[in-house]
Amino acid sequence: MSLPILKFDAVVVGGGGAGLRASLQLSEAGVKTVVLSKVFPTRSHTAAAQGGISASFGNSEEDNWHWHMYDTVKGADWLGDQDAIEFMCKQATDAVAELEHYGMPFDRLDNGKIYQRPFGGHMADFGKKPVRRACAVADRTGHAMLHALYQRNVKAQTHFFVEWMALDLIRDKAGDVVGVTALEMETGQVYIIHAKAVLFATGGSGRIYQASTNAFINTGDGVGMALRAGLPVEDIEFWQFHPTGLAGAGVLITEGVRGEGGYLLNANGERFMERYAPTAKDLASRDVVSRAMQVEINEGRGCGTNKDYVLLKLDHLGADVIDQRLPGIREISIQFLGIDPVKQPIPVVPTCHYMMGGIPTNYKGEVLDGVDEKIVKGFYAAGECACASVHGANRLGTNSLLDLVVFGKSAGNSVIEFVKTMSDHKELPENAGQYSLERMAKLESTTGEKVADVRFAMQVCMQQHASVFRTQKVLDDGVMKMREIYERAKNVVIEDKSTVFNTARVEALEFLNTVEVALATMVAAAARTESRGAHAREDFPDRNDEVWMKHTLYYRDGQKLEYKEVHTEPLTVDYIPPAKRVY
Amino acid sequence: MAKKMKFSIYRYNPEKDAKPYFKDIEVEIGDHDKKLLNALVKIKDDLDDSLSFRRSCREGVCGSDAMSINGRNGLACLTDLADLKEPVVLAPIPGLPVIRDLIVDMTQFFHQYNSIKPYVIDDRPMPERERLQSPEDRKELDGVIECILCACCSTSCPSFWWNPDKFLGPAALLHAYRFLADSRDQATNERLDDLNDPYRLFRCHTIMNCVDVCPKHLNPTKAISRIKETMLARQV
């Protein structure tokens, strides 16, 4: 069966922060571009980011990008690539100013400058004391940013295919990327999008876990597609557990609460973070705070009947501050738990939040294959689906939104340059699209398991075997179970066979991506016998730089692992050598 | 305690249904199923994978899951099951073409939004850093920028039902006000000229359904009257 072919110079897959920043760059440069998005762009998960976007403006107190870079390197537990980190931190003020110029409605200081609040791991003077670096729009920063970027794309007349899902990468014999297959949900039609360049901005995959702050759409589509196309995924064992997910509901409560002066309490009413991080206290890195909370819970100092959560206290901030700076989380807390934080503390638990790993790229957004980092021609990635790697083993709060705009733009610029060198499209391989059609046909089979059942098994397995604390036994069991689940996933079917807006089919195709991410995570985690950032091994409690200061590469074929070196040469400044990570 | 809840859901699949119909379904509600969206996901996962609806963030910030819930527009993810009278009647948000089940074609809605030039217009050279804006000027945008474009308001507005192609509707007008109210925007006159039309703006008859249903507790009617005031002030 031959599929209809649509031709563009560039296709951006994903319409969240990174995709929209990239498409803006491309549209303004006049590159014939289309953005594919599973949802209308303003429905992307960037909208759920709350606390802020980091940039060392120093609007309230002295700050500079060197300190921001140091914090990011340290936050990443020295697994970040320092060239990419320097690039991002140095660009931050320009990138955020640009957002302001686009109309993003930042909160303001009395002098008219952007309001900045303290955040976890943001420190002045190379880790000495907390600094106000997070530029905020109340606690709705991501929403404001996403809308501003969409609005600017309206101005630039960006071309969107809304409610289209990319299915597979198309690579030619040389391994170059020449397009994607994609499903138009409304009609059920599959197309080949033939492009000179493909830019993935497909977001995260937090839905591999049972409890997650992530939206339903965060299903790791980009990573799944890259893995199926034979490319590796980097550092996928590193998942951030956000300290303050709403207990029971999983919904995010921003770190900005602690930035504004809130703090955590155990069942004894003790402000326990003082014991774990004497200087930064509740504003230590997220991995540090999440582990501390889990220890408190594990040692019986959790709150509630089941002693399974801790409390986030902020009533002392007063109704005025809460309504001005944190109105969204007040609303969420009342909505989902019936608790008004103006009067009562909020029950919170560490909750899966962010995928530090992803498709390997350099700071230009070019996708890299293998230990020798060979550039994959025609393929670019940015945002959460990519691993540049700026977040290393643990991401700092607010660096995610920054990552989206800095690397969205930089990947966009790389595409512009690349497209200029391509007088014409490379030819499509003969069988382009066949693989996607076969994968879809399999779902139509009359015998097999329900997607929801296998997906649930995967989420439970991840939750039990790859959580905040990990051991060899628990991980090995997890690998075994996940391999079984992966086999079961090969036989999932849908009952609904119709063509028009078949969300059962979409969910099945999403799950086939998600399960790739889950298995990759488990295999990579079981292999890393050290503790670094968010990967905390009870049986290997220390970081082991001699053996493990290296990036994991996982390949789908044979579930193979390779390791490549961390970039230790920043672009212009001195290397920041590993040190003990104390907050 | 688990208990069963009854739903009556609008169903329409253009491939096989000559016309839409309501289908009754019962689903077991668990202790953690607090919101309507939980029940819908459960129906789709356990009972009928063909039930079609949009959803994403499940926390009221993405605006995907607007629907008519017992006759009133709202977001499934923010609606407490405990507050709903049974059978819970679910239908697509009214006034837009139905694609399938609870999924409507929102082209017209977004077309109106795009038509108000939803971006700050300021052609002056940009400073290297941020433009300055006083906290007071910034405050003008509160109660407006929280909009999630869910369309609960516009699709509850009779004026929008009758003239979705000519009347901007409350959501687009709220945004029209957002840019008029932004001290950084330099296109006030141009924006007012565009709005000064018997349909685009003046089809609002202050019925105020929009205010009633907004899941973010915003007030499009107030924004609309502020636009009219600004327009009047310009004429004087």
Side-chain angles (χ1 to χ4, degrees), chain A residues 99-364:
Chain A
L99 289 169
E100 193 285 319
H101 298 161
Y102 294 164
M104 187 166 161
F106 285 105
D107 290 356
R108 301 290 176 152
L109 297 163
D110 285 340
N111 62 13
K113 291 182 178 176
I114 292 173
Y115 167 76
Q116 298 186 280
R117 63 162 57 111
F119 234 77
H122 297 196
M123 311 288 275
D125 202 10
F126 305 101
K128 298 260 164 51
K129 58 173 199 244
V131 70
R132 297 160 186 267
R133 188 181 291 144
C135 307
V137 181
D139 54 358
R140 303 186 177 105
T141 312
H143 173 262
M145 180 174 121
L146 183 66
H147 280 249
L149 284 170
Y150 175 70
Q151 291 161 351
R152 191 72 176 193
N153 272 278
V154 171
K155 186 177 187 210
Q157 299 187 306
T158 299
H159 194 53
F160 289 99
F161 285 170
V162 174
E163 293 175 330
W164 283 52
M165 180 185 179
L167 302 176
D168 285 292
L169 271 175
I170 303 172
R171 299 180 77 186
D172 67 6
K173 271 204 183 114
D176 299 354
V177 169
V178 295
V180 290
T181 48
L183 168 71
E184 184 187 29
M185 296 182 196
E186 185 174 341
T187 61
Q189 176 69 49
V190 177
Y191 291 85
I192 287 173
I193 314 237
H194 189 188
K196 292 175 182 171
V198 174
L199 195 162
F200 272 12
T202 56
S205 188
R207 285 275 157 176
I208 60 173
Y209 287 89
Q210 214 178 352
S212 170
T213 64
N214 282 202
F216 280 101
I217 55 169
N218 289 21
T219 52
D221 301 332
V223 172
M225 285 186 272
L227 283 171
R228 278 195 301 277
L231 295 168
V233 56
E234 179 174 339
D235 294 338
I236 195 70
E237 64 269 42
F238 296 96
W239 285 85
Q240 179 161 83
F241 290 85
H242 195 291
T244 56
L246 213 56
V251 178
L252 173 68
I253 299 293
T254 177
E255 191 168 285
V257 171
R258 284 169 283 138
E260 294 290 345
Y263 50 83
L264 297 162
L265 296 174
N266 62 19
N268 304 330
E270 181 203 3
R271 189 175 174 183
F272 59 86
M273 278 313 300
E274 289 175 340
R275 271 190 278 124
Y276 297 87
T279 309
K281 302 189 178 79
D282 295 84
L283 288 177
S285 266
R286 287 180 180 170
D287 58 330
V288 174
V289 180
S290 281
R291 273 194 296 277
M293 289 167 67
Q294 199 60 53
V295 168
E296 292 300 303
I297 292 169
N298 291 352
E299 293 182 355
R301 293 186 294 278
C303 307
T305 356
N306 300 321
K307 301 186 170 206
D308 55 357
Y309 58 81
V310 300
L311 292 170
L312 176 60
K313 177 179 156 62
L314 66 157
D315 58 312
H316 57 283
L317 302 180
D320 288 349
V321 170
I322 293 174
D323 284 340
Q324 190 189 354
R325 302 293 183 203
L326 305 162
I329 65 99
R330 183 177 184 191
E331 203 178 302
I332 286 170
S333 183
I334 293 172
Q335 262 287 346
F336 287 90
L337 292 185
I339 286 175
D340 185 350
V342 165
K343 298 178 194 133
Q344 275 176 284
I346 310 174
V348 289
V349 283
T351 307
C352 169
H353 183 58
Y354 188 87
M355 174 173 86
M356 262 78 70
I359 302 165
T361 71
N362 55 23
Y363 67 88
K364 299 171 188 162

Side-chain angles (χ1 to χ4, degrees), chain B residues 128-229:
Chain B
E128 251 177 58
R129 294 269 304 256
E130 73 265 50
R131 281 168 295 186
L132 301 182
Q133 184 176 44
S134 72
E136 295 72 37
D137 283 342
R138 165 60 184 77
K139 213 170 170 22
E140 293 296 316
L141 307 180
D142 283 340
V144 188
I145 49 172
E146 297 88 341
C147 173
I148 56 174
L149 296 174
C150 65
C152 280
C153 60
S154 293
T155 62
S156 70
C157 171
S159 299
F160 189 73
W161 296 340
W162 308 138
N163 294 293
D165 53 336
K166 294 191 211 135
F167 174 49
L168 285 170
L173 284 168
L174 182 81
H175 285 271
Y177 174 67
R178 179 245 176 277
F179 292 98
L180 283 169
D182 196 321
S183 63
R184 299 169 297 177
D185 190 89
Q186 303 296 309
T188 305
N189 272 321
E190 185 192 320
R191 291 184 187 280
L192 291 174
D193 289 344
D194 173 65
L195 293 166
N196 195 358
D197 173 282
Y199 282 93
R200 281 176 81 70
L201 170 68
F202 288 101
R203 276 286 129 168
C204 168
H205 297 315
T206 53
I207 300 166
M208 294 182 73
N209 283 358
C210 53
V211 183
D212 235 25
V213 299
C214 176
K216 304 307 279 185
H217 313 296
L218 309 181
N219 191 333
T221 308
K222 190 170 143 204
I224 292 167
S225 68
R226 299 284 294 271
I227 297 176
K228 289 177 181 167
E229 282 164 24

